[in-house]
């Protein structure tokens, strides 16, 4: 902290990391002002349900809020929504807001998240101004999609990653005709083994989703009015008619604010294990950071809620003079149909895959091993195996693949005190 009587902490971006940071700063004894400034019109809200319960109508906007508004008031956090921070002046230690206001900081924390990767096609500008072409990152995006979510509509989803598949699962249940176009030879190719991709492709097809792999999108076609996309065109010459298009092809971290202020940036804002940037007064947390992970022995940028929360806790603690280094095994979840997928660790570079249980039963786990150690686990409707995987990875416990594969051995007997 600085020597001033009432130092100010400013948090830029009102998402998962920000909500956790604001109250954690108070809990750790930050006495001064806390300003939380976000450009969306809402207080921080849960983003994962956007492609799940919120899209299906099972939860409301109020139900999405991470903390009730009263929590910020009680913690004396000044929440400013609907205003973008447009510039950081590091010399003056101020931030400039898009509405012309400025605010002084003693500590600045960037939790700016990311934005959807733009579809790289020739008619992208016309598509983006059409009413039926959508990305999915914000509540407003989903509100727009939901207004067009009518049974029998032809929905084309570009991208067979988690977000695309979650939208497909909700839409097909809602009676839409759904096509998923995935450029790679299988869905979820960047994050799971071929066995998992095959499982998800088969479940989607059984539910009526038309999954097309190796389907590279070359452009979109607009109807004669130019107000709507009428088809998605593929490199192989095929054309997929569309009433509604949702694009989910990845995320670009929001680093421009940091970059323009001269902070070190490389696929994310570069931070150390305490979340500190190349400027000791400025920290960052969440999807926008490129951070070191001592458990994995390398730097990485993650897009997951658990990561955003844990980084936020470390930053809050470190800012309040109790340095806490970030060291967590990444984990993530995805809900599609009745399938609760929980993943832990990162599977890249695995040399052996062990499947425990039967995929046909919709209850199984895939363990990814390298040199006899578990790197990652994908568990479908198997919470106990998720916990087992977490422990095997974080404690680097060796386990015989034959034991892992033997579904007859209860998880509690796999390791002592699980
Ligand atoms: C549809 C969907 C489903 C998901 N499902 C899962 C899931 O199942 N499990 C999981 O772990 N993760 C999931 N994620 C990812 C998860 O939501 C993110 O990892 C998480 O939101 C990251 O939190 P964050 O605080 O870093 O960023 P965000 O939540 O993105 O918040 C950043 C905020 O900063 C704002 N901002 C940016 N720049 C400025 C500026 N200059 N001034 C003011 N405000 C600014 C942004 O508009 C945004 O509101 C999902 C994401 C999406 C979009």
């Amino acid at each position: 902290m600085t020597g001033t009587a009432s130092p100010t902490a400013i948090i830029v971006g009102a998402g998962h990391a920000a909500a956790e940071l604001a109250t954690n700063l108070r809990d750790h004894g930050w006495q001064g002002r806390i300003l939380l400034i976000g450009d969306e019109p809402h207080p921080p809200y849960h983003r994962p349900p956007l492609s799940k319960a919120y899209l299906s109508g099972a939860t409301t906007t109020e139900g999405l809020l991470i903390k009730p508004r009263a929590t910020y008031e009680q913690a004396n956090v000044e929440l400013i929504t609907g205003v973008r921070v447009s510039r950081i002046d590091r010399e003056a230690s101020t931030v400039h807001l898009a509405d012309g206001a400025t605010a002084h900081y003693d500590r600045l924390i960037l939790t700016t998240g990311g934005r959807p990767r733009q579809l790289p096609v020739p008619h992208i500008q016309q598509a983006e101004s059409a009413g039926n072409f959508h990305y999915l990152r914000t509540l407003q995006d989903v509100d727009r999609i939901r207004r067009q979510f009518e049974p029998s509509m032809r929905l084309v989803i570009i991208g067979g990653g988690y977000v695309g598949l979650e939208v497909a699962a909700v839409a097909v249940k809602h009676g839409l005709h759904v096509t998923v176009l995935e450029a790679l030879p299988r869905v979820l190719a960047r994050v799971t083994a071929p066995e998992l991709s095959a499982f998800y492709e088969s479940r989607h097809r059984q539910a009526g989703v038309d999954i097309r792999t190796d389907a590279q999108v070359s452009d979109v076609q607009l109807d004669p009015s130019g107000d709507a996309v009428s088809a998605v065109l593929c490199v192989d010459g095929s054309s997929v008619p569309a009433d509604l298009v949702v694009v989910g092809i990845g995320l670009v971290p929001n680093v421009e604010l940091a970059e323009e202020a001269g902070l070190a940036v490389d696929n994310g804002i570069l931070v150390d294990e305490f979340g500190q940037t190349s400027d000791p007064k400025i920290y960052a947390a969440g999807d926008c950071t490129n951070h070191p992970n001592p458990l994995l022995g390398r730097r990485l940028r993650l897009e997951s809620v658990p990561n955003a929360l844990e980084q936020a806790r470390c930053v809050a603690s470190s800012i309040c003079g109790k340095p806490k280094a970030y060291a967590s095994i990444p984990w993530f979840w995805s809900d599609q149909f009745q399938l609760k997928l929980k993943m832990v660790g990162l599977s890249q570079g695995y040399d052996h895959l062990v499947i425990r249980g039967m995929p046909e039963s919709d209850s199984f786990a895939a363990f990814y091993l390298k040199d006899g150690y578990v790197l990652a686990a994908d568990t479908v409707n198997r919470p106990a195996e998720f916990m087992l995987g977490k422990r095997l990875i974080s404690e680097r416990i060796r386990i015989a693949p034959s034991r892992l594969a033997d579904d007859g051995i209860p998880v509690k007997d796999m390791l002592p005190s699980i």
Side-chain angles (χ1 to χ4, degrees):
M1 287 209 229
T2 64
T4 55
S6 182
T8 299
I10 298 184
I11 305 170
V12 181
H16 284 270
E20 189 70 8
L21 247 157
T23 48
N24 265 252
L25 277 172
R26 279 282 177 254
D27 293 345
H28 286 296
W30 182 266
Q31 302 275 329
R33 283 182 83 191
I34 301 175
L35 256 72
L36 200 173
I37 308 170
D39 60 359
E40 291 188 64
H42 313 278
Y45 60 86
H46 291 281
R47 230 169 266 283
L50 294 183
S51 50
K52 309 174 181 78
Y54 188 71
L55 181 63
S56 74
T59 188
T60 60
T61 309
E62 243 357 78
L64 284 185
L65 296 186
I66 295 176
K67 294 170 193 207
R69 286 178 181 82
T71 304
Y72 302 100
E73 284 162 23
Q74 279 154 18
N76 200 10
V77 172
E78 298 166 54
L79 182 59
I80 301 169
T81 53
V83 188
R84 189 166 183 74
V85 172
S86 51
R87 191 164 73 83
I88 303 167
D89 181 340
R90 285 168 57 200
E91 251 175 53
S93 296
T94 51
V95 291
H96 292 249
L97 277 59
D99 64 2
T102 57
H104 170 82
Y105 64 80
D106 295 280
R107 290 290 178 270
L108 179 66
I109 308 111
L110 304 175
T111 61
T112 47
R115 57 185 181 275
R117 186 175 300 283
Q118 192 179 51
L119 186 69
V121 295
H123 287 94
I124 188 60
Q125 266 161 17
Q126 293 91 324
E128 285 177 355
S129 40
N132 65 342
F133 180 93
H134 307 278
Y135 296 100
L136 202 172
R137 181 75 189 171
T138 67
L139 231 162
Q140 284 176 311
D141 292 338
V142 187
D143 285 342
R144 274 193 295 266
I145 294 171
R146 268 178 31 171
R147 281 199 283 276
Q148 299 171 345
F149 225 56
E150 296 296 332
S152 301
M153 297 276 272
R154 294 163 304 176
L155 166 64
V156 178
I157 298 170
I158 303 176
Y162 288 119
V163 170
L165 293 181
E166 287 177 351
V167 172
V170 173
V172 78
K173 229 177 135 189
H174 203 70
L176 282 84
H177 298 294
V178 186
T179 304
V180 174
L181 302 176
E182 167 54 53
L184 294 174
R186 57 189 176 89
V187 300
L188 303 174
R190 288 189 193 86
V191 282
T192 58
E195 289 80 350
L196 265 286
S197 300
F199 170 77
Y200 274 96
E201 285 173 12
S202 108
R203 285 297 170 272
H204 276 268
R205 286 189 176 123
Q206 277 170 12
V209 178
D210 179 1
I211 300 255
R212 303 190 194 177
T213 52
D214 285 316
Q216 286 164 35
V217 171
S218 56
D219 207 352
V220 293
Q221 190 174 60
L222 284 109
D223 71 6
S225 71
D227 294 340
V229 171
S230 55
V232 177
L233 311 176
C234 293
V235 169
D236 67 1
S238 60
S239 163
V240 188
D243 299 310
L244 183 60
V245 178
V246 174
V247 181
I249 56 168
L251 183 98
V252 177
N254 288 327
V255 297
E256 290 74 9
L257 198 59
E259 207 163 27
E260 282 158 23
L263 299 176
V265 164
D266 179 11
N267 179 32
I269 303 169
L270 286 174
V271 294
D272 66 12
E273 65 272 40
F274 306 107
Q276 198 170 50
T277 68
S278 50
D279 179 334
K281 276 186 165 182
I282 306 180
Y283 290 73
D287 282 14
C288 66
T289 67
N290 176 332
H291 56 274
N293 187 318
L295 301 175
L296 303 174
R298 64 185 170 94
R299 284 190 158 272
L300 72 167
R301 195 177 64 72
L302 286 172
E303 294 158 17
S304 92
V305 169
N307 170 67
L309 299 182
E310 188 51 25
Q311 277 197 314
R313 290 175 197 130
C314 292
V315 167
S317 186
S318 301
I319 285 179
C320 293
K322 301 168 221 166
K324 184 178 174 211
Y326 172 90
S328 290
I329 296 292
W331 70 273
F332 190 83
W333 73 92
S334 174
D335 299 336
Q336 296 165 48
F337 308 113
Q338 299 307 315
L339 307 170
K340 292 219 166 288
L341 173 65
K342 285 178 93 179
M343 296 142 278
V344 56
L346 299 177
S347 59
Q348 286 94 347
Y350 73 95
D351 56 28
H352 190 60
L353 185 77
V354 172
I355 304 279
R356 179 181 167 84
M358 310 266 282
E360 309 81 70
S361 68
D362 288 350
S363 165
F364 68 103
F367 292 91
Y368 301 78
L369 286 85
K370 184 172 167 54
D371 302 329
Y373 290 100
V374 175
L375 287 183
D378 294 344
T379 63
V380 176
N381 294 333
R382 289 271 179 138
E385 275 80 353
F386 172 75
M387 296 311 293
L388 172 69
K390 215 171 181 178
R391 232 190 111 183
L392 291 172
I393 299 164
S394 58
E395 296 176 29
R396 275 189 66 78
I397 300 171
R398 265 181 111 91
I399 186 162
S402 56
R403 268 178 76 74
L404 263 186
D406 187 346
D407 211 14
I409 306 176
V411 168
K412 66 180 173 43
D413 295 342
M414 286 278 193
L415 292 173
S417 71
I418 272 208

